Amino acid sequence: MRYWMRVAAAGVLASGVAVGADGPMRVEVSRDTWVSSVGREAEMNLGGAPKLKTKSFQELSIVDLDPGPLRGRVIRAAALHVHCESKDVQRRVTVSTLASEWVEGTATSYEKQPGSTCFAAARLGEKPWAYPGSDMTAVMNGMGNTIWAFADATGPDKDGWQVIAVDPRVVAARVAGISYGFVVFDDVGSEYERNGDKVTHHGFPNRFIGSKDSNRRRSPYFTIELGEADGEAPGAIEKIESNVDELPAGEARVRWVTPGDKGPAGTLGFEVRVSKDGAFEWERAMVVPRYLIPMAGRAGETVSMRLRDMNLTGGAMVTVGVRAIDAAGNVGPVTTAKVKLSDRKAVELPTDGPNPFEKVAPLPKIGGVEVAVIDGLDKVQPITGEMVPHHEASYLAANHLWSAADKLVRLYAARNEFAAFQIVLTGKTDGVAAQLAFDEAGNDAPTAELFRLRNVSTKRGPMPDPMIPLKGAVSIPATDEKIDGQRSAAVLADVYVPHGAAAGVHHGKLTLTAGSETLQIAVELHVYDFTLPDVLSFVPELNCYGLPDPPREVAYYRMAHRNRTCLNRLPYGWNGSVSMPIGKWDGKTFDLSPFDARFGALLDGSAFDDLPRKGVPVDVFYLPLNENWPIAIDPAFKGGYWIEDALAPTYRQQFVAATRAFAAHMAERGYDHTLLEFYLNGKVYYKDPNWTRCSAPWIFDEPAHTQDFWALRWYGRAFHEAADPVRGNAKLAFRCDISRPQWQRDLLDGVLDIGVIGGGFRRYEREVIDRKNANGEVVLNYGSSNALEKANVQPAGWCIDTWTRGGDGVLPWQVIGNKGSWDKDDALSLFYPGEKVGIDGPVASIRLKSYRRGEQDVEYLTMLMQQTGVPRWAVGEAVRERLKLAASFSATSDEDAGTVNYDTLDPVALWALRTAIGQWLSERHPAPKRQLVDLRPAARDMAHLKPLGQVGGMTK
């Protein structure tokens, strides 16, 4: 806070001052435009418009000045003067550097103008803002090695002028030629009016200011206070070092130490060029794009640059030249170094696996019905017989699992793995019973469970989804469903291979009986010579908001655990009230005995002692801590959009004390496996129409505006201040669910432990994964499970695709169904309430098995990485190519979790990849290892984080 207030005090200069030799200098805006990020407007130019506009992340402006008269002088203070042209005035405003050249354009209203600047491109149709596919967010507000700061604008004076203080370094960067203009960004975004408890929310006010193309008396301008002259260049960079680590071919990581500046301005940044031949001449060398070049650190501090996006030849030796620039625009001498680029080759995945059965023969029959076997990820419409995804009719007789000619089912699995297949019965029958057993006995023998698939009404007619444990016989039509015209029914066979199972072929029999008839089908289970780990290296986190009361609740956690997923229930509502007995905070101590009694078995693993992953605790768990529990927020809320002023200091003190006591208890109890998540779920617009409806004065879940990210930063810092000193081995983590990672800036760097990213995960994959790697974050992708009429391969494909892109898990946002889910398509219902069918507990959707399949396939890929030493991105690229993974994302808005669809993914392709990798691994019989990715938040050294108001001064 001190920083931006200091900037404001120094930079607020009266409009209309004369230009003096040593006084404030007025500098007119030389070019300007506004851009929109909304829909098709993202490709439109407004460079000739008579107004500029700020509207949070929807619309923002770019301005520029002629830096020539400012060179050679220290910038002491600066301010941007704008003329208000709307009832909604500027409030807190960010001014940022811009790491790309741009073209003003001439459009006076939204117009697609090739070659001109818009949000989507620096020059539409000609040049992206940064790397291919990037938009403007890659080169502003902390991204692309930019710097920014915000300040509160003064209220409009009698003539309508407002003044915004600008960080002197932002202006100096333009003077030094390491910025190409100034981004002007509305940080408040949305506002609300409160009258008692009545609240009216105003989303995205339109804030207009005059542009240079309006009446010149309303054109924006800067006033800049110049300091002493500086004509001395920074010193030479002493040494340049490089490595390629696990980078793609043609890339390198280059490091050097920031040199001191001989003059008073201080070293601010660098210029970098690359020569591909032996000789290095600065003027002839390739210019490294500005967005890749780091800002300077303090003198003596090391900075790092990832050399990429330049189409350099893998394995080549290039010469890199670097020179420092100070804040007065003085350029230091060039230092060069030879840099060897990565020569990493494309990964060749194993291909030697079993072949699908090809011989087509009539399907065996029993009791008047035909019998076929299909993949666990397939489904058959029970009236029409349509297969989803589509297969040729011959698939029912011969596929990767089944040979009707041989009456044989063939499975492949590692130890500690589940393998599943479906038995499809077609025809009419009063009853077919089924049993699957393996020849051997004992604790190390494979086991099997059978489930009848019940159908649910969808747009494509009834579709199979809930899995009821098979007891008795299957009839067609089903007596408990009454589906007119039903021709088929399905049974899922779920086979588990214990940890102690011997490698090799295990034999079993699937026996079907109908009256006096018997049909036996052989089952070959090929067990690989390796074991899947008990501790998940990739977590399908199943989010929910309510569960049955104990003791039923634990059955839901157990079902998720058995299927290699993790159920996570948010324990509080919109008003922050915790919906269950947790414990009491008396201001000094916590009595958390109710918490331990209810959740201790989940967190120490004893709730799962009899399951395949015996004794492994839940992977993730929401803490009850929030903005209104155990410390009430309303008595401390003073009003306003900026958290440092809006909350009484005592609130933070009490929050830290309570959180510290809670964290200490987690450590004392030894809850050291689970990621214990401090997560804020409220949204201020839910206060409309009544203040008490929601306790959050900001948008915490899926933050939208700078004020929201800023508030999350405040809470994250307070949480780590409380928890880190006492957490011991407990994994207390600050988590945020973010649908707009492109607007996150560097606000949560060093604070966030777990980022749950929505649809932006793929659109802004590079930013998300770079941020994850730089800060040691855990990243999950949230969305929705497939609708029942869609292919059940979606959850498996979602898991695999997310892993290949660097993610650590997926998160369907809601998974608990209700009584109505049995009768109408409910994509959210991975767990059906069992009371409908006489079961005291949950009934699983077959889609839950698809999440399990995806998680198990990720374990194969992880073990492949461990054995080969190949980095994940390289394996990921090869997997996406092999599977032709083409993901499409559908959502109605940024807040909609949306669904990632894999309409072209074939279960046979997944099987072929898995079995080829499985055979390759089995030949090397790797020992089980703990997960490659340690899902543990790093210890946060909060001392390195600048005071709240100085965040705009942080460089990347």
Side-chain angles (χ1 to χ4, degrees), residues 193-230:
E193 295 176 9
R194 180 183 180 186
N195 184 7
D197 282 341
K198 180 176 174 54
V199 176
T200 304
H201 185 262
H202 303 288
F204 295 98
N206 293 303
R207 309 182 199 276
F208 288 98
I209 55 178
S211 79
K212 74 169 183 57
D213 296 296
S214 63
N215 185 317
R216 292 301 292 175
R217 289 176 297 174
R218 298 181 176 183
S219 176
Y221 64 92
F222 288 85
T223 48
I224 297 171
E225 183 180 324
L226 298 178
E228 57 266 55
D230 182 353

Short mmCIF file of all heavy atoms in Angstrom, two decimals, residues 193-230:
data_model
loop_
_atom_site.label_atom_id
_atom_site.label_comp_id
_atom_site.label_asym_id
_atom_site.label_seq_id
_atom_site.Cartn_x
_atom_site.Cartn_y
_atom_site.Cartn_z
N GLU A 193 -24.20 -0.94 -4.94
CA GLU A 193 -24.77 0.05 -4.02
C GLU A 193 -25.41 -0.69 -2.86
O GLU A 193 -26.10 -1.70 -3.06
CB GLU A 193 -25.82 0.91 -4.73
CG GLU A 193 -25.27 1.78 -5.85
CD GLU A 193 -26.37 2.53 -6.57
OE1 GLU A 193 -27.53 2.48 -6.08
OE2 GLU A 193 -26.09 3.14 -7.60
N ARG A 194 -25.18 -0.20 -1.66
CA ARG A 194 -25.76 -0.84 -0.48
C ARG A 194 -26.56 0.19 0.30
O ARG A 194 -26.06 1.27 0.62
CB ARG A 194 -24.66 -1.42 0.41
CG ARG A 194 -25.20 -2.10 1.66
CD ARG A 194 -24.07 -2.62 2.54
NE ARG A 194 -24.61 -3.27 3.73
CZ ARG A 194 -23.87 -3.72 4.75
NH1 ARG A 194 -22.54 -3.57 4.71
NH2 ARG A 194 -24.43 -4.29 5.79
N ASN A 195 -27.79 -0.17 0.61
CA ASN A 195 -28.65 0.64 1.45
C ASN A 195 -29.20 -0.25 2.54
O ASN A 195 -30.16 -0.98 2.34
CB ASN A 195 -29.77 1.27 0.63
CG ASN A 195 -30.64 2.20 1.44
OD1 ASN A 195 -30.34 2.49 2.62
ND2 ASN A 195 -31.72 2.67 0.85
N GLY A 196 -28.54 -0.24 3.71
CA GLY A 196 -28.86 -1.22 4.73
C GLY A 196 -28.45 -2.59 4.23
O GLY A 196 -27.29 -2.81 3.88
N ASP A 197 -29.40 -3.52 4.17
CA ASP A 197 -29.10 -4.84 3.64
C ASP A 197 -29.51 -4.98 2.18
O ASP A 197 -29.28 -6.03 1.57
CB ASP A 197 -29.82 -5.92 4.47
CG ASP A 197 -29.10 -6.20 5.78
OD1 ASP A 197 -27.90 -5.85 5.88
OD2 ASP A 197 -29.73 -6.75 6.70
N LYS A 198 -30.09 -3.96 1.60
CA LYS A 198 -30.47 -4.02 0.19
C LYS A 198 -29.25 -3.70 -0.66
O LYS A 198 -28.58 -2.68 -0.46
CB LYS A 198 -31.61 -3.04 -0.11
CG LYS A 198 -32.03 -3.06 -1.57
CD LYS A 198 -33.23 -2.16 -1.81
CE LYS A 198 -33.57 -2.08 -3.30
NZ LYS A 198 -33.75 -3.38 -3.91
N VAL A 199 -28.97 -4.57 -1.62
CA VAL A 199 -27.77 -4.43 -2.45
C VAL A 199 -28.18 -4.48 -3.92
O VAL A 199 -28.97 -5.33 -4.33
CB VAL A 199 -26.75 -5.55 -2.16
CG1 VAL A 199 -25.56 -5.45 -3.11
CG2 VAL A 199 -26.28 -5.47 -0.71
N THR A 200 -27.61 -3.57 -4.71
CA THR A 200 -27.77 -3.60 -6.15
C THR A 200 -26.38 -3.68 -6.77
O THR A 200 -25.54 -2.81 -6.53
CB THR A 200 -28.50 -2.35 -6.67
OG1 THR A 200 -29.77 -2.25 -6.01
CG2 THR A 200 -28.72 -2.45 -8.18
N HIS A 201 -26.15 -4.72 -7.53
CA HIS A 201 -24.83 -4.94 -8.12
C HIS A 201 -24.80 -4.35 -9.53
O HIS A 201 -25.74 -4.52 -10.30
CB HIS A 201 -24.53 -6.44 -8.18
CG HIS A 201 -23.16 -6.76 -8.66
ND1 HIS A 201 -22.87 -7.11 -9.96
CD2 HIS A 201 -21.96 -6.78 -8.00
CE1 HIS A 201 -21.58 -7.35 -10.09
NE2 HIS A 201 -21.01 -7.15 -8.93
N HIS A 202 -23.73 -3.65 -9.85
CA HIS A 202 -23.55 -3.06 -11.17
C HIS A 202 -22.33 -3.71 -11.81
O HIS A 202 -21.19 -3.43 -11.44
CB HIS A 202 -23.34 -1.55 -11.08
CG HIS A 202 -24.45 -0.83 -10.38
ND1 HIS A 202 -25.70 -0.66 -10.96
CD2 HIS A 202 -24.52 -0.24 -9.17
CE1 HIS A 202 -26.48 0.01 -10.12
NE2 HIS A 202 -25.80 0.26 -9.02
N GLY A 203 -22.59 -4.57 -12.77
CA GLY A 203 -21.49 -5.28 -13.43
C GLY A 203 -20.90 -4.48 -14.57
O GLY A 203 -21.63 -3.93 -15.39
N PHE A 204 -19.61 -4.37 -14.60
CA PHE A 204 -18.86 -3.79 -15.72
C PHE A 204 -19.38 -2.41 -16.13
O PHE A 204 -19.89 -2.23 -17.24
CB PHE A 204 -18.90 -4.72 -16.93
CG PHE A 204 -18.21 -6.03 -16.73
CD1 PHE A 204 -18.93 -7.17 -16.39
CD2 PHE A 204 -16.82 -6.13 -16.85
CE1 PHE A 204 -18.29 -8.39 -16.20
CE2 PHE A 204 -16.19 -7.34 -16.67
CZ PHE A 204 -16.91 -8.47 -16.34
N PRO A 205 -19.23 -1.40 -15.27
CA PRO A 205 -19.59 -0.04 -15.72
C PRO A 205 -18.73 0.38 -16.91
O PRO A 205 -17.56 0.02 -17.01
CB PRO A 205 -19.29 0.82 -14.49
CG PRO A 205 -19.25 -0.12 -13.33
CD PRO A 205 -18.76 -1.42 -13.89
N ASN A 206 -19.32 1.16 -17.81
CA ASN A 206 -18.59 1.70 -18.95
C ASN A 206 -17.93 3.01 -18.55
O ASN A 206 -18.61 4.01 -18.31
CB ASN A 206 -19.54 1.93 -20.13
CG ASN A 206 -20.09 0.64 -20.69
OD1 ASN A 206 -19.34 -0.25 -21.08
ND2 ASN A 206 -21.42 0.51 -20.71
N ARG A 207 -16.61 3.02 -18.49
CA ARG A 207 -15.88 4.22 -18.08
C ARG A 207 -15.18 4.80 -19.31
O ARG A 207 -14.22 4.22 -19.82
CB ARG A 207 -14.86 3.88 -17.00
CG ARG A 207 -15.45 3.09 -15.82
CD ARG A 207 -14.39 2.83 -14.75
NE ARG A 207 -14.76 1.74 -13.86
CZ ARG A 207 -15.55 1.86 -12.78
NH1 ARG A 207 -16.05 3.04 -12.48
NH2 ARG A 207 -15.83 0.82 -12.02
N PHE A 208 -15.66 5.94 -19.78
CA PHE A 208 -15.12 6.56 -20.97
C PHE A 208 -14.25 7.77 -20.61
O PHE A 208 -14.55 8.51 -19.66
CB PHE A 208 -16.24 7.03 -21.90
CG PHE A 208 -16.97 5.91 -22.59
CD1 PHE A 208 -18.19 5.44 -22.09
CD2 PHE A 208 -16.46 5.33 -23.74
CE1 PHE A 208 -18.87 4.42 -22.72
CE2 PHE A 208 -17.14 4.30 -24.38
CZ PHE A 208 -18.34 3.84 -23.87
N ILE A 209 -13.21 7.97 -21.41
CA ILE A 209 -12.37 9.16 -21.30
C ILE A 209 -12.11 9.67 -22.71
O ILE A 209 -12.26 8.94 -23.69
CB ILE A 209 -11.04 8.88 -20.58
CG1 ILE A 209 -10.29 7.73 -21.26
CG2 ILE A 209 -11.29 8.56 -19.10
CD1 ILE A 209 -8.93 7.41 -20.65
N GLY A 210 -11.72 10.92 -22.81
CA GLY A 210 -11.43 11.49 -24.11
C GLY A 210 -10.19 10.86 -24.73
O GLY A 210 -9.25 10.47 -24.03
N SER A 211 -10.17 10.76 -26.05
CA SER A 211 -9.00 10.25 -26.76
C SER A 211 -8.31 11.41 -27.47
O SER A 211 -8.82 12.54 -27.51
CB SER A 211 -9.40 9.18 -27.77
OG SER A 211 -9.93 9.78 -28.95
N LYS A 212 -7.18 11.14 -28.10
CA LYS A 212 -6.49 12.19 -28.85
C LYS A 212 -7.29 12.59 -30.08
O LYS A 212 -7.03 13.65 -30.68
CB LYS A 212 -5.08 11.73 -29.23
CG LYS A 212 -5.04 10.70 -30.35
CD LYS A 212 -3.65 10.49 -30.87
CE LYS A 212 -3.64 9.52 -32.04
NZ LYS A 212 -4.50 9.92 -33.16
N ASP A 213 -8.26 11.76 -30.47
CA ASP A 213 -9.06 12.05 -31.65
C ASP A 213 -10.35 12.79 -31.30
O ASP A 213 -11.19 13.01 -32.17
CB ASP A 213 -9.39 10.75 -32.40
CG ASP A 213 -8.14 10.08 -32.93
OD1 ASP A 213 -7.47 10.68 -33.79
OD2 ASP A 213 -7.81 8.97 -32.47
N SER A 214 -10.51 13.13 -30.03
CA SER A 214 -11.65 13.95 -29.64
C SER A 214 -11.20 15.42 -29.67
O SER A 214 -10.13 15.75 -30.17
CB SER A 214 -12.11 13.56 -28.24
OG SER A 214 -11.09 13.81 -27.30
N ASN A 215 -12.00 16.29 -29.16
CA ASN A 215 -11.59 17.69 -28.97
C ASN A 215 -10.26 17.71 -28.24
O ASN A 215 -10.11 17.11 -27.18
CB ASN A 215 -12.68 18.40 -28.15
CG ASN A 215 -12.41 19.88 -28.01
OD1 ASN A 215 -11.28 20.30 -27.76
ND2 ASN A 215 -13.47 20.66 -28.18
N ARG A 216 -9.25 18.39 -28.81
CA ARG A 216 -7.90 18.34 -28.25
C ARG A 216 -7.87 18.83 -26.81
O ARG A 216 -6.98 18.49 -26.05
CB ARG A 216 -6.93 19.16 -29.09
CG ARG A 216 -6.68 18.58 -30.46
CD ARG A 216 -6.11 17.19 -30.42
NE ARG A 216 -4.75 17.16 -29.88
CZ ARG A 216 -4.06 16.04 -29.65
NH1 ARG A 216 -4.61 14.87 -29.88
NH2 ARG A 216 -2.84 16.09 -29.17
N ARG A 217 -8.85 19.62 -26.43
CA ARG A 217 -8.89 20.09 -25.04
C ARG A 217 -9.25 18.95 -24.09
O ARG A 217 -9.15 19.11 -22.89
CB ARG A 217 -9.89 21.23 -24.91
CG ARG A 217 -9.43 22.53 -25.57
CD ARG A 217 -10.48 23.60 -25.49
NE ARG A 217 -11.70 23.22 -26.21
CZ ARG A 217 -12.83 23.94 -26.20
NH1 ARG A 217 -12.90 25.05 -25.50
NH2 ARG A 217 -13.88 23.53 -26.89
N ARG A 218 -9.66 17.81 -24.66
CA ARG A 218 -10.01 16.66 -23.83
C ARG A 218 -9.07 15.48 -24.07
O ARG A 218 -9.31 14.38 -23.59
CB ARG A 218 -11.45 16.23 -24.10
CG ARG A 218 -12.47 17.31 -23.75
CD ARG A 218 -13.89 16.82 -24.03
NE ARG A 218 -14.86 17.81 -23.60
CZ ARG A 218 -16.19 17.63 -23.66
NH1 ARG A 218 -16.67 16.49 -24.15
NH2 ARG A 218 -17.02 18.57 -23.26
N SER A 219 -8.02 15.71 -24.81
CA SER A 219 -7.08 14.65 -25.12
C SER A 219 -6.23 14.30 -23.90
O SER A 219 -5.81 15.19 -23.15
CB SER A 219 -6.16 15.11 -26.26
OG SER A 219 -5.17 14.14 -26.53
N PRO A 220 -5.97 13.03 -23.66
CA PRO A 220 -5.15 12.65 -22.50
C PRO A 220 -3.70 13.11 -22.68
O PRO A 220 -3.20 13.26 -23.80
CB PRO A 220 -5.24 11.13 -22.47
CG PRO A 220 -5.59 10.73 -23.87
CD PRO A 220 -6.41 11.85 -24.43
N TYR A 221 -3.05 13.32 -21.56
CA TYR A 221 -1.64 13.70 -21.58
C TYR A 221 -0.97 13.25 -20.29
O TYR A 221 -1.63 12.92 -19.30
CB TYR A 221 -1.47 15.21 -21.79
CG TYR A 221 -2.02 16.07 -20.66
CD1 TYR A 221 -1.21 16.48 -19.59
CD2 TYR A 221 -3.35 16.48 -20.66
CE1 TYR A 221 -1.72 17.26 -18.57
CE2 TYR A 221 -3.87 17.26 -19.64
CZ TYR A 221 -3.04 17.64 -18.59
OH TYR A 221 -3.55 18.42 -17.57
N PHE A 222 0.35 13.23 -20.34
CA PHE A 222 1.15 12.90 -19.16
C PHE A 222 1.78 14.16 -18.61
O PHE A 222 2.11 15.09 -19.37
CB PHE A 222 2.29 11.93 -19.53
CG PHE A 222 1.85 10.54 -19.84
CD1 PHE A 222 1.42 10.20 -21.13
CD2 PHE A 222 1.87 9.54 -18.87
CE1 PHE A 222 1.03 8.90 -21.43
CE2 PHE A 222 1.48 8.24 -19.16
CZ PHE A 222 1.05 7.93 -20.45
N THR A 223 1.96 14.19 -17.29
CA THR A 223 2.88 15.15 -16.68
C THR A 223 3.98 14.35 -16.01
O THR A 223 3.71 13.38 -15.30
CB THR A 223 2.18 16.07 -15.67
OG1 THR A 223 1.39 15.29 -14.78
CG2 THR A 223 1.30 17.09 -16.37
N ILE A 224 5.19 14.75 -16.28
CA ILE A 224 6.34 13.95 -15.85
C ILE A 224 7.33 14.86 -15.15
O ILE A 224 7.72 15.92 -15.69
CB ILE A 224 7.00 13.24 -17.05
CG1 ILE A 224 5.98 12.27 -17.68
CG2 ILE A 224 8.27 12.51 -16.63
CD1 ILE A 224 6.41 11.67 -18.98
N GLU A 225 7.71 14.47 -13.96
CA GLU A 225 8.69 15.22 -13.19
C GLU A 225 10.06 14.60 -13.43
O GLU A 225 10.29 13.43 -13.10
CB GLU A 225 8.34 15.18 -11.70
CG GLU A 225 9.28 15.99 -10.83
CD GLU A 225 8.90 15.92 -9.37
OE1 GLU A 225 7.68 15.89 -9.07
OE2 GLU A 225 9.81 15.87 -8.52
N LEU A 226 10.95 15.37 -14.03
CA LEU A 226 12.27 14.87 -14.37
C LEU A 226 13.25 15.14 -13.24
O LEU A 226 13.20 16.18 -12.59
CB LEU A 226 12.77 15.54 -15.65
CG LEU A 226 11.93 15.29 -16.90
CD1 LEU A 226 12.50 16.05 -18.08
CD2 LEU A 226 11.87 13.81 -17.21
N GLY A 227 14.15 14.19 -13.04
CA GLY A 227 15.21 14.34 -12.06
C GLY A 227 16.52 14.68 -12.73
O GLY A 227 16.56 15.27 -13.82
N GLU A 228 17.61 14.26 -12.12
CA GLU A 228 18.93 14.62 -12.62
C GLU A 228 19.21 13.97 -13.97
O GLU A 228 18.61 12.98 -14.35
CB GLU A 228 20.01 14.23 -11.61
CG GLU A 228 20.02 12.76 -11.23
CD GLU A 228 19.22 12.45 -9.98
OE1 GLU A 228 18.02 12.81 -9.93
OE2 GLU A 228 19.79 11.85 -9.06
N ALA A 229 20.16 14.55 -14.67
CA ALA A 229 20.60 14.00 -15.94
C ALA A 229 21.44 12.75 -15.70
O ALA A 229 22.11 12.61 -14.68
CB ALA A 229 21.41 15.04 -16.71
N ASP A 230 21.35 11.81 -16.64
CA ASP A 230 22.14 10.57 -16.56
C ASP A 230 22.55 10.20 -17.97
O ASP A 230 21.73 9.80 -18.79
CB ASP A 230 21.31 9.45 -15.92
CG ASP A 230 22.10 8.16 -15.76
OD1 ASP A 230 23.23 8.09 -16.26
OD2 ASP A 230 21.57 7.21 -15.15
#
